[in-house]
Amino acid sequence: MNKKSRVLITLIGSAIIFRFFCGIYVHDEFGGKHFFIKHRPTWKWKFYSPVGMSDTKFEELSEEEKIEQKYFNEFVKDKKLSL
């Protein structure tokens, strides 16, 4: 294996690992985007709260929005990144 192949494989591997363990979340109150390190690997990159600071109940959300809210709660809210 030549040097270019090794460098390419290393870069691709690093990018994949970065994608699995890093992410961006949109603050549920102020709306700013923030970089964070995930506590477990997942391919999902951007996390947001469909409920935000509204009075909407979890039960009123669509199935897709419920999934997004669960991800947001697990990766952001439960880790005290967005209070």
Side-chain angles (χ1 to χ4, degrees):
M1 193 180 279
N2 62 22
K3 188 175 181 178
K4 287 183 181 181
S5 296
R6 288 183 195 172
V7 170
L8 183 63
I9 290 171
T10 302
L11 288 175
I12 291 172
S14 298
I16 290 171
I17 290 171
F18 181 82
R19 176 67 188 248
F20 271 118
F21 286 98
C22 297
I24 300 288
Y25 74 90
V26 179
H27 195 281
D28 56 345
E29 184 176 0
F30 303 113
K33 294 180 181 175
H34 304 280
F35 175 82
F36 74 104
I37 306 295
K38 300 174 202 170
H39 67 278
R40 70 173 176 88
T42 181
W43 191 250
K44 186 163 180 56
W45 174 254
K46 185 177 178 184
F47 297 82
Y48 70 95
S49 174
V51 173
M53 289 290 155
S54 69
D55 292 334
T56 306
K57 305 282 188 243
F58 183 77
E59 297 78 25
E60 298 171 358
L61 299 174
S62 68
E63 289 303 315
E64 295 83 21
E65 289 174 329
K66 286 180 182 178
I67 293 169
E68 288 294 333
Q69 187 64 44
K70 286 179 183 178
Y71 272 126
F72 185 82
N73 290 346
E74 178 186 352
F75 285 94
V76 179
K77 200 170 189 178
D78 293 348
K79 299 299 176 194
K80 308 284 191 253
L81 296 174
S82 178
L83 298 175

